[in-house]
Amino acid sequence: MACRGRGTDLLSGIIPELCQKYPDLHFMIGGEGPKRIILEEVRERYQLHDRVHLLGALEHKDVRNVLVQGHIFLNTSLTEAFCMAIVEAASCGLQVVSTRVGGIPEVLPEDLIILCEPSVKSLCDGLEKAILQFKSGLLRAPEEIHNLVKTFYTWRDVAERTERVYDRVAGEAVLPIDKRLDRLISCCGPVTGYIFALLAVFSLLFLILLRWITPDSVIDVAVDATGPKSSWTLQHPRRAKLDEDDGKSETR
């Protein structure tokens, strides 16, 4: 089993419980930090030196070689926006078990990830489910998982999604400062809301000061450097011809 070295407190409770139930279970833990000593103490206390392998910080080029040694990937993060690590693990053919936090539920489909609450009991239940699936041969083949995951995220797809977000934001109405402050106060509570509103006012005053020191009129306006009619293309006709040829080759 490959593990990510976040949520160390959760991981320190999972290791002894599952190692006791499954004698053939091994943990490979990647990552480095001040809480590594907690895992070292757990390994020492339960005499798990031959079953808990602390790999420390890994170079990105070495991540794949570590992941393919396991069958299940455990992510115990308490906060997460996207979590590229579980995409990499799934791409290497591992069944993912992860906490249900942040944007993680949106990263992989339900049949490729077992989502758990950020608690030792919930994660142990999720891991036992994955272990039983593995032992009964119900997990997908690594090649099948890899071929599926590699279709989820491409640079073109990411760029199109990002563009849609920018277009949606650009089309939204800009709220005046008083309504922004009202929204902060109403959404964040009577105490925290006023603190955030005060910080927002200070930020606005600081921005006004900066615009007074350096007026907008003295700042160069960014030119459109992309597209068929951009200034960059007009200045470099040979490059434009190459881009046009590349575009034709992509559509063939």
Side-chain angles (χ1 to χ4, degrees), residues 169-186:
V169 172
E172 293 181 354
V174 179
L175 295 177
I177 185 62
D178 58 334
K179 291 187 177 180
R180 295 187 194 182
L181 296 178
D182 288 341
R183 186 167 64 177
L184 274 175
I185 295 172
S186 61

Side-chain angles (χ1 to χ4, degrees), residues 58-189:
L58 297 172
E59 295 288 339
H60 191 267
K61 62 181 177 62
D62 299 326
V63 172
R64 181 262 176 196
N65 294 334
V66 171
L67 289 175
V68 295
Q69 298 178 49
H71 301 95
I72 301 169
F73 181 82
L74 173 62
N75 174 53
T76 56
S77 295
L78 298 178
T79 59
E80 200 72 70
F82 179 83
C83 194
M84 181 62 72
I86 65 175
V87 178
E88 294 174 337
S91 182
C92 290
L94 279 69
Q95 171 64 48
V96 176
V97 178
S98 175
T99 47
R100 189 195 306 269
V101 297
I104 288 178
E106 303 175 14
V107 176
L108 293 172
E110 293 181 357
D111 56 338
L112 296 183
I113 185 171
I114 298 174
L115 294 171
C116 310
E117 297 305 316
S119 67
V120 172
K121 183 181 183 306
S122 180
L123 285 166
C124 284
D125 292 342
L127 283 171
E128 289 196 78
K129 179 180 178 180
I131 292 170
L132 293 176
Q133 288 177 344
F134 170 72
K135 289 188 172 183
S136 59
L138 297 178
L139 293 181
R140 292 188 179 189
E143 296 82 3
E144 182 183 352
I145 298 176
H146 171 77
N147 291 330
L148 186 61
V149 172
K150 73 179 184 181
T151 64
F152 293 162
Y153 301 99
T154 63
W155 284 118
R156 182 179 296 276
D157 181 52
V158 171
E160 289 176 351
R161 293 185 183 188
T162 304
E163 187 177 14
R164 286 198 293 270
V165 172
Y166 275 110
D167 289 340
R168 185 175 71 247
V169 172
E172 293 181 354
V174 179
L175 295 177
I177 185 62
D178 58 334
K179 291 187 177 180
R180 295 187 194 182
L181 296 178
D182 288 341
R183 186 167 64 177
L184 274 175
I185 295 172
S186 61
C187 293
C188 301

